[in-house]
Amino acid sequence: MNLRHMFALARKEFYHIVRDPGTFLLVTVGPVFLMIVFTYMLTSEVKNAPVGVIDHAHNDASAELIDRIEADPVTRIAAYYESVDATDLDFQRGDIVAAVEIPENYGQFSLLGDVPTVHMIVDGMEPTSAEQVLETVYTIADEHTRDLAGDALSGFGLDSSLLDLPINVETETLFNPDLRSIVDFYPGLMGMMLTLPALALALSLAKEAENGTLEQLVASPVDKRALLAGKMLPYLVFGMIDVVILFIMGQVAYSVPFRGSLLEYMLVALLFNMANLGLALLIAVFVRSQQVAIIVAFLVFFVPPFFLSGMFFPADAMPFIVQLEMVEFPSMHYVSLAKAIFLQGTSIRDLLFNFVILAILGIELFEIAAFIFRKKIIVTVPWRKWFNRDEKRQSLTQQPIAQSRG
Amino acid sequence: MANDTMIDIQSVSRSFRQTLAVDSITLSIRRGELFGIVGPDGAGKSTLLRMMAAILNPTGGTIAIAGHDSVKDAEDIKSIMGYMPQGFGLYTDLSVQENLRFTADVYGVTGAQLEKRLPVLYEFTDLASFKDYQAGKLSGGMKKKLALACAIIHEPPLLLLDEPTTGVDPVARRGFWDLLSGLHAQGTTTVVSTPYMDEAERCNRVALLYNGRVLACDSPSAIKARVPGAVLALTSSDNRRLAPLLLGLSGVIDIQTYGNLLNIIVTDRDTVRSRILDLLDSEQIDDYTLEDAPMRMEEAFIYLVNHAEGALPEEVAS
Amino acid sequence: MKSTINRTLDIAWKELLHMRKDRVLLPFLVIGFLLELTFVAWATSQPIDNLNMAVVDLDQSEQSAALVAALDATDTLTLRHEVADEATAIEAMDQVNTVLTPHANTILTLVIPAGFGDTLTSGGQPDVRIILNGAESVSAREARRVAEQTILEQGMRVRFNMEPADYEDQLPQVTVKYNEDLERSWYTLPGEAALIFYMVTMALAALAISREREWGTYEQLRVMPFRSVEVILGKALSPMLVGYVLFLSVLALMTLVFGVPLRGSLPLLLIVAVLYLLAEMGKGVLLSMMARTQLQAVLLVFVLVMVDLIFSGYAVAVETLPQLVQTIANFIPIRHWLVILRGVMLKNAGLDVLWPHIVALIAIGAVIIIFTAWQYRRNAS
């Protein structure tokens, strides 16, 4: 590879990046902005979910239960109804996400073991928040019933420890004590953010093809691998700057623990960056139009890694064939490595398989792109001249010919 | 192949899906020539030039540039050639100087060699005072000059220019051609495509391209000499009415309108002239001038096109 | 003189010709996105199960073995290792499995202390410990939920000889509506579908004018005798067509292949989809006019999509977001569209319920298109 060519290309590309505000923002502020959006989405917990009440009891016990539901930060009481049927319309509108029906004899216990319990209805459309609301209301109702039952037992002169859980469970959580999802998503998300420099690279090459500057380049004796490497280099640098910024942001703003070796993590990030950019080049070499490049890049970079790399949904739970598919995506290996290094302090040595694959992808994707890339031009039917067409037809030489035929 | 041949094109064709853009062209361009490829849009000029520049492979035939095959030895060709694509192939967000230095790096012009070369190019193209301008902010003519400067930065023995003056004002066009003449004088083999017939006159030889074929390849004067007949220039008060009537006269091959001037191409000067005079008489037009005019490339080209298509009026064809 | 409709169609036709240039584009869009959706559907509809469990059984009694068996019998947990002591167990949780499934490490370790069985049978309250792998918070949470419930049931069984059915009526009764099995894919698929065709169509529309600007044909377009609304609608029409075709295929895929129910009125959905697309297209063209280059247009689309993601209810139900966010969300077309789409599909909601969202969609769309037209005209002066 001709290094002088590579650095010439890299310098030129650097100018492009810093002189176009769009690209510059895309590779600098973009990842940070995107990270804030994602973390916001991930950390947004259900608050003040509207709950409807069908109170058949109208007694102190039911009033106390309603108060507890109202007081919980997850839920609030939104409306009262006479019957379960009456809630239908509000459920459909989404005005309430849960309803609690309190039976007439709520709070009245008999020695025969009659325990009047509430009936709750939950809108299951959105399972994640439905589960949260369900769990919250269920726990409130269950505890309230226990409290009432305890009081009733004392009233009967019995020991309320009868109501204790048969087995006491203590829970300890490693690596991420509060089970904050942000902690285990953050290392993976950092990798996702590197999509943006890759997107910018794919666009940049497509732009050269569209603007005709690629024609000038392919007609020059520039070494084709130097051409691609030179275009890639500035994005790699900006990508690594992004990694550093996001790393600091994670430590400071989100208190994500980091237990491994920083050097090792940076190496992993570098390889992942290279693999990502190699993929971007591959896309750009295939499709020499910005519009198509955008869509392909979105498909390849964004959707599969996001959903399938095991970041949000554990990879184990996926069908084997999907897992196999994912082996080819660098993001999967990045996520495994990054999470292990961040949270578990694992060394690369223990994750050699993923590391080797990532390293191979980092180099190989670029090589494939370089192999496919031809220093030729691709001629497409120039639809872009649609508007100019009639005008051009009237150039000096054409006019007389048209006349003589007419 | 003779030693003084720079470009040897042997029955080269190129098709894009169903369209045949270049149809079995054979041409030979000598070292040191200023060679014009002339033809209207869509004639196949750019396709031919791109194949010469080794960035597009022919679908048939071979091209040899200084003995290098354009398919097998594409990269060898690229280093001995300067190429200017039809569109502006340089970076609009880079300054004049940055564009030049980038190109220099790519072509391996570095260090002292470059520092010596830059002032020469600035001087040559008059771009010195604009060297810190962003290329995108230059005028059309200056962009072309910059592109030319980039194309010749490594002093290539061969220069391929694809419609370098399209979209440039007449003064800048003339200036640009003066630069090309200068390069030609230094011995650079230059191949230039153009849709403008007046530019063709400045070439050593031209190939007239039409529908992917070479209609003629010769010096401008020889091409003009091929056209029988003459040109008559008519000015009158009522050209608009006259034009179709004139076209109907036998012996009139074509009419071109330039404002209130009609250039009438005729088969035989004397007989047709009298027919025209008769027509003017019968149409009761008396404020006219009818003079002989020189045959130009434009008229010659049109004649050749019509002739090649067999579209001439019957009596002329026979 | 041509009519407005004619001229609008002229522009739309030209845009379709542009699309023909990118011959990969259309088949790619349709096949690519359907494939994408299939992948996402497949992946997200998988229950979280077979999570790896390790056990440190210091009691080695009949009761502890029964507890382990009960946990192993759940779909969620699978016993993989029996470890001698707690230190080894924690060390084992540090190990990451490096074969094909890198996440196949231990999610939960159960520690049963000595004396567990005796305490339980003698009527006391024994302790057990569960150790969770917080590096997989989603799996860990699920594992904890299932473990706690199973331990409770097992305790009731041993101590009171009661099966869950025996005390069921003493616990709160739960009915889940609309998505009875809490299928995650029933929620994510409509969202994903909306997002996909929203992004494609908006990206195409956003590039429509910036592309002309880059090609230098924008001025030409402006001097042609088109009215501003004609240009905007014309520009939007072909992306809309693509979007609509995509929408239909995605709808078919969701209902026929992935079993998301379509309980409401299909015609209603098909009509409202057009309204929704109009609003998004207007947005796309507006962005397109603001951008100087195609790259900037893409950037703007990107930012907007990200913002929309927060407010739209794509991932999290809007009702559960802070009040301020909910208020802002009302001005975002995709938020209303998702309510309508999911409402019709899952809740069998009709016009009587959804009309405010449909009205909002029309209002937002109209405002966007009028504003865009005004902006286009203003650019001229």
Side-chain angles (χ1 to χ4, degrees), chain A residues 4-5 7-9 11-12 15-17 19-20 208 211-223 231 375-381 385 392-393 395-401 403-406, chain B residues 16-17 40-41 50 54-57 70 74-75 78-79 81 83-86 88-91 93-95 98 102 105-108 110 134 195 197 210 247 254-257 298 301-302 305-306 309:
Chain A
R4 197 187 55 240
H5 285 175
F7 285 118
L9 259 307
R11 191 185 315 124
K12 169 191 84 73
Y15 289 144
H16 291 327
I17 296 174
R19 284 179 194 171
D20 180 47
E208 292 226 25
N211 291 355
T213 52
L214 194 65
E215 179 170 355
Q216 186 91 66
L217 271 182
V218 297
S220 77
V222 67
D223 170 20
K231 279 201 81 76
K375 280 183 65 188
K376 300 283 169 192
I377 56 161
I378 294 170
V379 180
T380 47
V381 188
K385 287 182 181 156
K392 276 214 165 182
R393 283 270 177 273
S395 70
L396 269 177
T397 44
Q398 289 268 332
Q399 198 176 14
I401 296 171
Q403 263 194 12
S404 71
R405 280 180 186 156
Chain B
F16 298 108
R17 294 189 206 117
D41 286 347
R50 282 168 166 171
I55 55 172
L56 186 68
N57 289 342
S70 77
E75 294 308 297
K78 286 172 184 174
S79 53
M81 157 198 89
Y83 171 67
M84 222 177 114
Q86 188 176 354
F88 184 57
L90 297 170
Y91 300 97
D93 57 338
L94 262 56
S95 71
E98 284 161 352
F102 169 68
D105 273 333
V106 166
Y107 282 92
T110 47
Q134 281 202 355
M197 294 300 153
Y210 190 71
L247 258 182
D254 200 6
I255 294 178
Q256 290 170 303
T257 316
E298 201 147 338
F301 181 74
I302 290 152
V305 166
N306 289 348
E309 290 196 333

Side-chain angles (χ1 to χ4, degrees), chain C residues 322-343:
Chain C
Q323 194 54 49
L324 177 68
V325 179
Q326 286 192 40
T327 311
I328 301 172
N330 283 326
F331 297 98
I332 293 174
I334 192 174
R335 179 255 190 285
H336 298 288
W337 168 241
L338 278 174
V339 171
I340 295 166
L341 181 64
R342 285 171 174 148

